[in-house]
Structure formats: C-alpha cells, structure tokens
Amino acid sequence: GKPLHSDHFDEFIRQIASKSYRIKGIVRVSSGECYSVQAVFNEIQYMEIESSDRQTELIAIGREISAKELKNIYRYFSTGFPAAPSVEG
C-alpha cells in the first residue's frame, strides 16, 4: 500500500493509540523513513529503523478499534485526507 504521509505520522499514531490498549509494528512514511512503533494506551514509543524494503505492518488491540477502522484511518492519513476516517466497527 501507499506509505503514510510523513507530516501526519504523529497524528495517525495518536489517533490509533487513543482507541487501543496496545499497538506494535512498523510504519513506512512517504519521505522514505521507516519507524518501529510500540504503544500501551497513550504511552507511545517509536524510533527510526533501517527501511530497506519493509512495508507498513501494524497491529492494534482494543475494544474501540476494528481492523476495518484501522485500515480506513491509515488510508485517510496516507492519501491526503480525501474523506473523514470511518468510525464503523
């Protein structure tokens, strides 16, 4: 898929963290960097890692977020905000 827009990385992670108990994975951004992401509730940690050919792969666990919603939020932040992210479960 399309990389996450670099300018909106923090906002993307904060939005998902606000709906999740736990987040873990890798996020590639449009400027070419790749980040390892871990979060427990709103305690977020991320660091840049060697990007090579890694693609975004993110797991979020929580009652308030579904796989569909996670994909919709990612699509929203990676395509330049064409429509508001879905809040459907």
Side-chain angles (χ1 to χ4, degrees):
K2 192 172 183 178
L4 186 70
H5 194 284
S6 302
D7 293 341
H8 305 292
F9 173 74
D10 287 331
E11 186 178 354
F12 167 74
I13 296 299
R14 279 194 307 269
Q15 184 167 346
I16 293 172
S18 72
K19 300 170 178 273
S20 304
Y21 303 131
R22 179 86 165 95
I23 300 170
K24 186 171 180 104
I26 295 171
V27 177
R28 176 179 288 286
V29 296
S30 60
S31 58
E33 290 93 359
C34 202
Y35 294 92
S36 169
V37 178
Q38 294 195 53
V40 177
F41 296 101
N42 285 320
E43 188 73 29
I44 303 167
Q45 297 177 349
Y46 57 88
M47 65 179 199
E48 188 173 349
I49 59 174
E50 287 199 31
S51 59
S52 61
D53 62 348
R54 293 182 170 213
Q55 296 299 313
T56 295
E57 189 171 3
L58 200 61
I59 297 171
I61 301 169
R63 287 186 177 187
E64 297 181 32
I65 192 163
S66 66
K68 181 179 178 181
E69 184 178 11
L70 180 59
K71 287 178 187 177
N72 287 340
I73 293 168
Y74 182 83
R75 191 175 303 120
Y76 175 75
F77 282 104
S78 63
T79 59
F81 313 111
S86 172
V87 292
E88 296 178 13

